[in-house]
Amino acid sequence: MTVHVIADDAEALETARRLAAEFGAGAAERDSARKLPHAEVERLSASGLLGVTVPADHGGADVRHETLAEVFRLLASGDPSLAQIPQSHFVYVNVLRRQGTPAQREFFFAEVLAGRRFGNAQSEAGTKHVQDIRTRLVPEPDGSFLLSGVKHYSTGALFAHWIPVLARAEDDTLHVAYVPRDAHGLTVVDDWDGMGQRTTASGTVKLDRVGVPADRIVPHHLTFQGPQLHGAVAQLLHTAIDVGIAAAALAEAAEFVRTRSRPWFESGYESATEDPLLIQRFGELGIQLRAAEALLATAARTVDLAAAGLTDERAAEASIAVAAAKAFAASAAVEISGALFELAGTRSALDGLNLHRFWRDARTHTLHDPARWKVQHIGRHLLNGTLPPRHGLL
C-alpha cells in the first residue's frame, strides 16, 4: 500500500471532505448488510489522515486539535461507523507522544506514517466499573512480559496492525502494551452485535499469555500524575462524531422533505416545504445543530490553547469545554436523528430506506460514557472552582 503523507491542516481537511463524500455513498448499504468496511479503511490509511497528529520532527503534519475534530466531524457526517474506527488510533498515538521513549516514538510514528493502524483493547465486561482493569502484565526472567485477559468493545482491533492493550503491572500501575495484531496468543473475535455503529467491528480481544517485549510497553499511569489532555482529546473526537451524526441526519431529513414528503392536508399548501409547522421545527433543530457545532469548535480551540502551555488550570478549562460540548452534542444527535421521522413522515420509517441508522448510531455512540457526570463536573467547577478529575474520561 502506498501511503500519502499529509503536509498541513488544510490538506487534512480537504482529504477528510473527499473521503466523507466517498464513504457516505455506501454507508446505508454497509450498515444494512453489516458489511465491514475493509476497503474503506485501507483508503483511509492510504490517504495519510491517520498520520496527521504525528509530530513535525518525526515527519508528520502535527495538525491542530481544531483540525482533527473537524476531520472526525466530516467523516462521521459520511459514515459514523467509519469515523469511530480510528478514534482509538489517535488516542494511542497521543499516549506515545506523552509517555513514549524516544526510541518508541521513532519506531511507532514511522509505523503510523507508513499507514499502520492502531486498534484498542481497553474495556472489560463484568468488572466492577470501567476502570477496573484486570488484564495483567506478568514479568518473565528475560525482561519481557506475558499479557493475559479478555477485552470487549475493541473498536478498530479487527482492522489494526497494532493493538494497544490497557493492562496493569504487578504493582497495579496502568500501562499500555502495543501488541502486533498477529501475535501468538492474541485472538480478535468479530462478535459485535450492537444496534448501531454496526460496522465498527467493536468485538472481543482475547489475550492468552501473549509475549510482549519491555520496549513495547508505555507507563500510562504517569499520564495522570500531572496536568493532561488525554481525556479531553479522546472526548473531543467522540463529540465530533456526535455532531457529524446530527448534521447528516438533519441534512437527510431536509432532502427527504424536499423530494418525497407530502404536505399535511390541513396545511393548505401544495408542498411540504411550505408547511410553517415543519419550517418551525427545522429552524429549531438547525439552531440546536449550530450550537453543537459551535461548542465543538470552541472546545477544540480551548484544547489547542491548553496544549500550547499546559497547566492545571488550562487542562481543567479544556476538560470542562469538551465536557460541555460532549453533553450538548450527545443530546442533539439523539434528538435530531429521532426528529428525522417526525419531519419526514411515515414513508421515512420504511426499513429499506435505512434512515433509522442515524438514530441507532447516535443512541449507541452516546452510551459511551454518561453525559450526566460531565454535567456534574461542569457544575462543580462553575460553582466551587473544583478542578475536574484526571481519570481520562473527561
Side-chain angles (χ1 to χ4, degrees):
M1 176 177 59
T2 301
V3 177
H4 178 67
V5 177
I6 287 175
D8 54 28
D9 294 70
E11 186 181 5
L13 291 171
E14 179 55 36
T15 301
R17 289 188 192 97
R18 173 175 54 81
L19 288 179
E22 290 180 19
F23 296 159
E29 180 185 354
R30 284 192 299 272
D31 175 271
S32 181
R34 197 179 177 272
K35 180 182 177 183
L36 298 184
H38 291 285
E40 289 77 12
V41 170
E42 287 296 319
R43 290 214 300 278
L44 184 62
S45 286
S47 75
L49 270 183
L50 298 184
V52 296
T53 59
V54 170
D57 58 0
H58 286 271
D62 201 8
V63 301
R64 300 186 304 273
H65 294 97
E66 185 175 7
T67 297
L68 186 62
E70 179 63 5
V71 165
F72 269 78
R73 190 197 68 81
L74 288 166
L75 292 175
S77 70
D79 185 339
S81 286
L82 260 168
Q84 184 65 43
I85 289 167
Q87 191 267 348
S88 291
H89 170 91
F90 286 98
V91 168
Y92 286 105
V93 169
N94 206 31
V95 169
L96 288 163
R97 288 188 61 144
R98 186 170 175 89
Q99 298 301 341
T101 65
Q104 287 172 330
R105 291 196 293 269
E106 182 178 359
F107 174 79
F108 280 114
F109 291 158
E111 286 283 281
V112 170
L113 289 177
R116 306 290 191 268
R117 297 181 291 271
F118 293 162
N120 96 88
Q122 181 170 285
S123 295
E124 300 179 12
T127 56
K128 185 177 180 180
H129 51 69
V130 70
Q131 291 201 326
D132 181 13
I133 303 298
R134 299 182 184 180
T135 300
R136 285 294 185 267
L137 283 164
V138 179
E140 290 283 274
D142 65 357
S144 67
F145 293 81
L146 291 178
L147 185 61
S148 295
V150 179
K151 299 290 189 175
H152 298 268
Y153 313 116
S154 301
T155 303
L158 194 69
F159 307 99
H161 300 93
W162 292 90
I163 300 180
V165 180
L166 207 57
R168 295 196 182 276
E170 285 191 314
D171 62 359
D172 211 39
T173 54
L174 198 61
H175 293 70
V176 177
Y178 288 75
V179 182
R181 169 68 175 80
D182 58 358
H184 180 73
L186 186 152
T187 305
V188 180
V189 183
D190 179 22
D191 58 358
W192 170 242
D193 64 349
M195 68 173 181
Q197 295 198 300
R198 298 184 66 216
T199 60
T200 59
S202 302
T204 300
V205 171
K206 298 179 179 179
L207 304 137
D208 183 13
R209 295 175 58 82
V210 177
V212 185
D215 63 358
R216 294 291 180 263
I217 299 172
V218 175
H220 192 34
H221 60 100
L222 298 179
T223 299
F224 308 105
Q225 292 184 4
Q228 50 81 36
L229 297 172
H230 176 81
V233 173
Q235 292 295 309
L236 182 70
L237 303 186
H238 283 306
T239 305
I241 292 170
D242 289 342
V243 176
I245 295 171
L250 193 57
E252 190 72 38
E255 178 65 15
F256 197 99
V257 169
R258 283 192 295 265
T259 59
R260 301 194 187 191
S261 294
R262 298 181 297 179
W264 184 243
F265 72 95
E266 291 179 286
S267 72
Y269 290 99
E270 293 297 316
S271 169
T273 59
E274 298 175 285
D275 184 335
L277 298 181
L278 278 180
I279 290 170
Q280 176 71 20
R281 187 66 173 130
F282 268 104
E284 292 168 351
L285 295 172
I287 292 169
Q288 197 170 3
L289 176 60
R290 284 173 177 262
E293 291 171 339
L295 283 167
L296 173 66
T298 297
R301 289 193 292 269
T302 306
V303 172
D304 279 323
L305 180 63
L310 196 58
T311 64
D312 283 324
E313 289 71 23
R314 283 188 170 187
E317 289 294 339
S319 290
I320 292 298
V322 173
K326 181 67 175 72
F328 190 88
S331 175
V334 172
E335 180 174 353
I336 292 172
S337 59
L340 185 158
F341 305 99
E342 166 198 341
L343 296 165
T346 306
R347 290 183 63 197
S348 64
L350 294 176
D351 196 53
L353 296 175
N354 199 17
L355 295 179
H356 47 65
R357 72 186 187 277
F358 297 108
W359 183 86
R360 288 188 288 103
D361 283 342
R363 183 66 282 178
T364 300
H365 183 253
T366 54
L367 298 175
H368 188 273
D369 47 84
R372 59 187 177 273
W373 276 99
K374 300 182 188 301
V375 175
Q376 282 283 309
H377 293 307
I378 293 167
R380 290 169 184 169
H381 184 259
L382 180 64
L383 186 60
N384 300 317
T386 305
L387 298 185
R390 297 172 178 165
H391 53 44
L393 292 173
L394 192 69

